[in-house]
Amino acid sequence: EVQLVESGGGLVKPGESLRLSCAASGFTFNNAWMTWVRQAPGKGLEWVGRIKSKAAGGTTEYAAPVAGRFTISRDDLKNTVNLQMNSLKTEDTAVYYCATPAGITAAGYAAWGQGTLVTVSS
Amino acid sequence: EIVMTQSPATLSVSPGERATLSCRASQGVSNNLAWYQQKPGQAPRLLIYAASTRAPGIPATFSGSGSGTEFTLTISSLQSEDFAVYYCQQYNNWPLTFGGGTKVEIK
């Protein structure tokens, strides 16, 4: 069974940092392109960024609002993907999901975690 | 950035009726479009990718169509479990973008 489990969310002050993790199981993680998507309270979905598989270069791309502040990394030995968030702003408050096609579909995000809530407030 | 516009924002439908949701891209995205369903407190669920291909386990009551800039998600006969928010997403151009969502509510 494909499973994604996020952790690391919490309450932080503006300007602080937080590191989220997503533990994956049930699929070939080292082949997967992993994505982070967030959802502010009561709002829609916002794509945050992704990391390609190492075979595809392992490169990362980010949405403009987080570029330069957020960094995505992966550990293929531990089957985890991380989201390092620095210089957090109140507008970064959201539920953060990791997602991936997981080899289930050729496109789209067929697998999602349950999400972890990040609250940025003074 | 490609802007995805969904309409209507809210759709009131009676159980058993048909629902038609629209998604428009600000520029052409070929057929690189997905649809997701999200219920309160849950993660999104992939329904459709490549504009018209159902994801595994998705019932045939859900169908997608369109290409280029105009896309449609049709739910042929609404069941109680189908009342939710639906999002489209283009994955043709960087950055990937979602529409604002259509809430399908019980009439």
Side-chain angles (χ1 to χ4, degrees), chain B:
Chain B
E1 174 176 316
I2 294 179
V3 177
M4 306 301 292
T5 303
Q6 291 188 240
S7 60
T10 304
L11 186 61
S12 298
V13 185
S14 299
E17 288 189 340
R18 181 188 192 92
T20 302
L21 289 64
S22 295
C23 175
R24 173 177 292 179
S26 61
Q27 58 184 274
V29 298
S30 185
N31 70 334
N32 295 315
L33 183 109
W35 289 95
Y36 299 85
Q37 175 194 69
Q38 188 179 33
K39 297 178 181 178
Q42 295 185 16
R45 173 193 181 198
L46 177 66
L47 301 174
I48 301 283
Y49 64 97
S52 60
T53 303
R54 276 189 301 277
I58 302 303
T61 52
F62 289 91
S63 62
S65 64
S67 182
T69 61
E70 300 284 344
F71 300 89
T72 299
L73 176 69
T74 301
I75 312 171
S76 60
S77 177
L78 273 157
Q79 308 299 309
S80 57
E81 61 268 25
D82 300 332
F83 292 96
V85 179
Y86 293 83
Y87 295 95
C88 61
Q89 180 212 14
Q90 67 82 18
Y91 51 89
N92 190 70
N93 283 62
W94 203 253
L96 309 188
T97 46
F98 290 91
T102 291
K103 181 180 181 181
V104 178
E105 62 177 25
I106 300 175
K107 187 174 182 180

Side-chain angles (χ1 to χ4, degrees), chain A residues 45-88:
Chain A
L45 301 171
E46 180 183 20
W47 182 87
V48 172
R50 75 172 176 201
I51 186 166
K52 297 181 179 179
S53 64
K54 286 199 166 64
T59 55
T60 53
E61 290 96 6
Y62 302 94
V66 308
R69 299 187 298 122
F70 289 13
T71 302
I72 300 173
S73 61
R74 65 187 299 151
D75 184 336
D76 288 351
L77 293 179
K78 295 182 179 179
N79 285 5
T80 58
V81 59
N82 303 303
L83 179 65
Q84 177 67 41
M85 304 185 294
N86 298 332
S87 303
L88 281 161

